[in-house]
Amino acid sequence: MALLSSAQRALAVRASSDDAFAAYKPTVAALFPGQGAQSVGMAKDLVATVPAAKEMFDKASEILGYDLLKMCVEGPKDKLDSTAISQPAIYVASLAAVEKLRATEGQAAIDAIDVAAGLSLGEYTALAFAGAMSFEDGLRLVKLRGESMQAAADARPSSMVSVIGLDSAKVAELCKAATAEAGEDKPVKIANFLCPGNYAVSGSKEGCDAVERLGKSFGARMTVRLAVAGAFHTEYMSPAVERLQAALAATQLVAPRIPVVSNVDAQPHSDPQVIKDILARQVTSPVLWENTIKTFLDKGLTKSYEIGPGKVIAGIVKRLDKGATIVNITA
């Protein structure tokens, strides 16, 4: 019988320690938004009515070195929309909105939540909500993530386009045709699997231009160029991975108290090292949001909270199940 190497044994142990949530049965979900949910004026009413939310913004400003609340409330929009600022802003505003839920519906509402997920950046918010990382450590990671993604985007021009009205297979065909037109060294691919008829593709500027030109011929209802710094969730973000890995290695993570479903594989993980590995991979991997929400619904989810700025997630959930119950706890 062949003996396992020490590396193989370590992998086997890790796999066995990562299955604590394998049989999870969701009933109430906390869903957290990603970049793009921000808007000037967000959190203004929240901090005026929920003292714990104001304390959270004050703490965040100390860590970041600038007045985050002022940036959220007053802008300017172009600064708030930048990757380096919007990511910390949405992270803090979303966790501040958790305090709004606690203040309005009581601790029982928080305790009833038995699964969490977040869209891209929102996965960090979900992990902080679930106790896998502290608020402060999560903010530091999100700050570095936003800065690293911005730097990667600046180093190599790229873009994203939302494709409306096609199924994922047809969008994949569109991406293949756009890549052939732009050149194989300038690829474009699906980056966000959001819901049927709504997929975001990501890649070279030339590839995204081709997606917009070819979209109608493939049957797309419309294509919309997204106001983001670059091709998120593709290999164009590879330069961000090394810095993120180093920061994650230096950050203490523990097993989350409830399942947090990963964007990378639409599965919950309980091993802190596996979670770190997946977070590092997340910036270059497609977001499997459609798979995540479908799995929740198939497993018997009865209610969701969209916690944070915007109402994008509620629209996605309703596209997957018109009868779904989702409550918006806005920032």
Side-chain angles (χ1 to χ4, degrees), residues 104-193:
T104 54
E105 296 191 26
Q107 182 62 37
I110 305 292
D111 294 341
I113 294 169
D114 55 13
V115 71
L119 189 54
S120 188
L121 152 75
E123 189 168 333
Y124 287 77
T125 321
L127 286 163
F129 171 78
M133 63 178 75
S134 70
F135 167 77
E136 295 86 349
D137 284 345
L139 179 58
R140 292 185 188 98
L141 285 172
V142 165
K143 176 180 183 290
L144 181 136
R145 179 182 188 265
E147 291 168 350
S148 300
M149 291 172 74
Q150 182 71 55
D154 292 343
R156 189 180 177 194
S158 57
S159 193
M160 295 183 73
V161 177
S162 180
V163 180
I164 308 298
L166 296 179
D167 62 29
S168 58
K170 201 70 177 174
V171 176
E173 288 179 26
L174 171 58
C175 289
K176 187 175 180 181
T179 297
E181 187 172 300
E184 294 302 322
D185 60 333
K186 298 176 181 177
V188 62
K189 60 182 66 174
I190 301 177
N192 291 342
F193 290 81

Side-chain angles (χ1 to χ4, degrees), residues 17-36:
S17 67
D18 191 46
D19 61 1
F21 301 125
Y24 79 105
K25 300 285 186 185
T27 54
V28 181
L31 305 175
F32 296 97
Q35 192 174 342

